[in-house]
Amino acid sequence: MSEQTVMTTPLKRTIGRKVLLLFVVGDILGAGIYALTGKVAAQVGGAIWLPFLCAFALAALTAASYAELVGRFPKAAGAALYANRAFKRPFLTFMVAFAVMMSGITSASAAARAFGGDYLAEFFTVPTLAAAWFFLLAITVVNFIGISESVRVNVVLTVVEATGLLVILAIGAWALITGDGQPARALELETEGTPLIAVLGATALAFYALLGFEDSVNLAEEAQKPRRDFPRALFGGLAIAGLIYLGVAFTSSMLVDTATLAESTGPLLEVVKVAGLTFPPGLFAVIALLAVTNTALINMIMASRLVYGMSNEGIVPKILGRVHQSRQTPYVAIAFTVLIALTLVSTGDLAGLADTTVLLLLLVFAVVNVSVLRLRKVPDDEHAKGDDGPSFRAPTWVPVVGAVVSLLLASPVTGRDVDVYLRAGLLLAIGVVLYVVNRLIVRRTR
């Protein structure tokens, strides 16, 4: 494929508002709530809903910053584009892009590891690594076939995983009607140390379950009306997911004791097994596995589109921006990201990869919130001028508070393990090396 083809082949603008809303909801609903509810309970006791509520508030702050920026700069590079326009520092742009890319890949890798947990054990046991590799390769095939096909698969999986959570909510409603369970347990805050520190740590962990709203901005270049549709999809999807999570957290605490939840990698399956409203555990396990699949699919879509956008911005070699002529998907970027995922899933466990994802994205969120303030004097992107509807503008205090809270949750005050900082630091160090190598190659070529 020639250089001219690389530069001029566009992505299809095929995503409408409703599908985009489902994409946001589907990206948020997934592996996090299905796998990490018990880990949150281990830190705060029965008040599982409290960290989820705090995480929702943080996500809403940063979502407002994303909503403002995506309407003005509707391109696939997302946070990397915003950092590039705001600070004009190639190194910072690259590191933001690399951190976002790695967060998507670590999240997909965590989902791949989760695929072999208690939910799969309802049917049979296979080596976790083998299941994870097969899982990632299957996701890659769907990603390559096309964005329309990938989003359609996402829509189906979103409906399935949302159905599973609605089953949990129905179980909770039935328990309240019949007097089963212990609703008072949901108000019990039990921590080993200082309650505030414990809640902060649990909030950082619960935040993993709310990640995904930021992924959708990387589809801006494939949305029909990004200025009009993205703010509605972001806030609507986040609100829907937040309400569902609060209900699921309350139900889980009401029906299952904290110790049982904390020990399980399939905590919602424990809820189904003790429910007075009968639902087949095997069927629910299938739903949970599909939810995990959706998490991995959306994150790999995001990562590949981000690499494509980075290539168009001249941050990484142009070869990574090549688009397949018939499928019109960034096939080189897709191959690049899945190779990283296959390697990463072989070296980390579920908890470590999930926490690393949160840490990387909290640092990115701090940069995005600051970028909003710096970019308000910059004219809108030319690509946004033909879009319908006014541009969204967040109140000034929102990005300020968003940046401060992001840095707070990224700090050691949350009680995060040292291993997570070491892993994230190593990944960022690899990014530094790649940046230097790319600069040397470009300079030598010139």
Side-chain angles (χ1 to χ4, degrees):
M1 183 182 294
S2 67
E3 186 72 16
Q4 183 179 1
T5 302
V6 174
M7 295 296 296
T8 60
T9 303
L11 298 179
K12 285 184 176 180
R13 287 194 175 274
T14 59
I15 304 176
R17 185 195 310 171
K18 294 180 180 179
V19 173
L20 185 60
L21 174 64
L22 286 174
F23 189 94
V24 175
V25 174
D27 204 355
I28 298 175
L29 302 181
I33 189 66
Y34 277 92
L36 295 177
T37 303
K39 305 304 179 185
V40 174
Q43 297 191 37
V44 297
I48 307 173
W49 58 271
L50 182 58
F52 281 103
L53 180 61
C54 294
F56 171 78
L58 169 61
L61 292 172
T62 304
S65 295
Y66 272 107
E68 178 173 336
L69 291 172
V70 77
R72 301 183 58 200
F73 309 103
K75 290 187 176 181
L81 172 66
Y82 312 146
N84 190 39
R85 298 292 178 88
F87 299 99
K88 306 296 185 181
R89 296 290 186 269
F91 177 71
L92 177 62
T93 300
F94 179 84
M95 293 307 298
V96 168
F98 188 80
V100 174
M101 180 190 72
M102 291 308 303
S103 72
I105 297 175
T106 54
S107 180
S109 300
R113 299 286 299 195
F115 196 79
D118 289 346
Y119 292 118
L120 185 62
E122 279 291 301
F123 308 104
F124 49 82
T125 302
V126 297
T128 303
L129 186 57
W133 279 351
F134 174 81
F135 178 78
L136 287 172
L137 291 174
I139 292 299
T140 301
V141 172
V142 177
N143 192 6
F144 170 75
I145 289 175
I147 186 61
S148 296
E149 291 79 6
S150 298
V151 172
R152 289 191 189 103
V153 171
N154 165 253
V155 169
V156 174
L157 295 182
T158 296
V159 172
V160 172
E161 67 189 2
T163 300
L165 296 178
L166 291 177
V167 167
I168 299 296
L169 295 180
I171 289 173
W174 182 257
L176 289 174
I177 293 174
T178 59
D180 293 338
Q182 301 180 32
R185 185 162 49 206
L187 302 178
E188 297 175 355
L189 184 62
E190 301 174 358
T191 64
E192 294 183 357
T194 305
L196 178 59
I197 301 301
V199 171
L200 284 176
T203 297
L205 185 60
F207 192 67
Y208 176 78
L210 280 167
L211 295 179
F213 64 91
E214 79 288 348
D215 287 355
S216 61
V217 303
N218 293 293
L219 294 180
E221 200 166 333
E222 295 166 276
Q224 295 173 352
K225 300 289 183 180
R227 183 193 289 256
R228 182 194 66 184
D229 294 344
F230 262 85
R232 299 177 184 179
L234 280 174
F235 294 124
L238 195 59
I240 292 171
L243 291 174
I244 292 175
Y245 278 10
L246 292 177
V248 169
F250 182 86
T251 300
S252 300
S253 178
M254 177 177 62
L255 293 178
V256 183
D257 63 273
T258 301
T260 301
L261 287 175
E263 295 174 359
S264 176
T265 58
L268 301 190
L269 189 60
E270 303 296 334
V271 176
V272 173
K273 289 181 178 179
V274 302
L277 182 62
T278 303
F279 191 87
L283 177 57
F284 189 84
V286 171
I287 293 174
L289 291 174
L290 292 176
V292 170
T293 300
N294 205 29
T295 296
L297 173 62
I298 297 178
N299 276 283
M300 293 307 289
I301 290 175
M302 178 277 295
S304 61
R305 267 53 180 187
L306 177 55
V307 172
Y308 165 84
M310 289 164 60
S311 176
N312 284 346
E313 289 290 317
I315 305 170
V316 297
K318 292 296 182 183
I319 189 174
L320 292 174
R322 289 187 173 180
V323 176
H324 195 274
Q325 289 184 333
S326 61
R327 303 308 313 175
Q328 288 188 268
T329 52
Y331 69 100
V332 178
I334 291 172
F336 177 74
T337 52
V338 75
L339 285 176
I340 296 177
L342 290 171
T343 302
L344 193 59
V345 78
S346 307
T347 59
D349 60 12
L350 169 60
L353 292 171
D355 212 0
T356 303
T357 302
V358 172
L359 178 57
L360 291 172
L361 279 180
L362 285 173
L363 297 175
V364 171
F365 289 168
V367 174
V368 169
N369 281 299
V370 174
S371 297
V372 170
L373 302 175
R374 291 181 61 92
L375 286 171
R376 285 186 170 173
K377 296 181 179 180
V378 177
D380 288 2
D381 196 299
E382 290 293 332
H383 293 272
K385 291 183 178 180
D387 195 19
D388 295 336
S391 180
F392 174 84
R393 183 182 176 94
T396 302
W397 64 267
V398 170
V400 173
V401 176
V404 172
V405 176
S406 295
L407 292 175
L408 176 64
L409 288 182
S411 70
V413 72
T414 58
R416 185 178 283 110
D417 291 340
V418 176
D419 291 347
V420 176
Y421 288 100
L422 293 176
R423 183 181 294 108
L426 178 60
L427 291 175
L428 293 177
I430 294 173
V432 173
V433 173
L434 290 176
Y435 176 81
V436 173
V437 170
N438 184 57
R439 294 285 290 184
L440 291 175
I441 292 175
V442 171
R443 185 178 304 171
R444 184 175 302 174
T445 301
R446 289 177 178 174

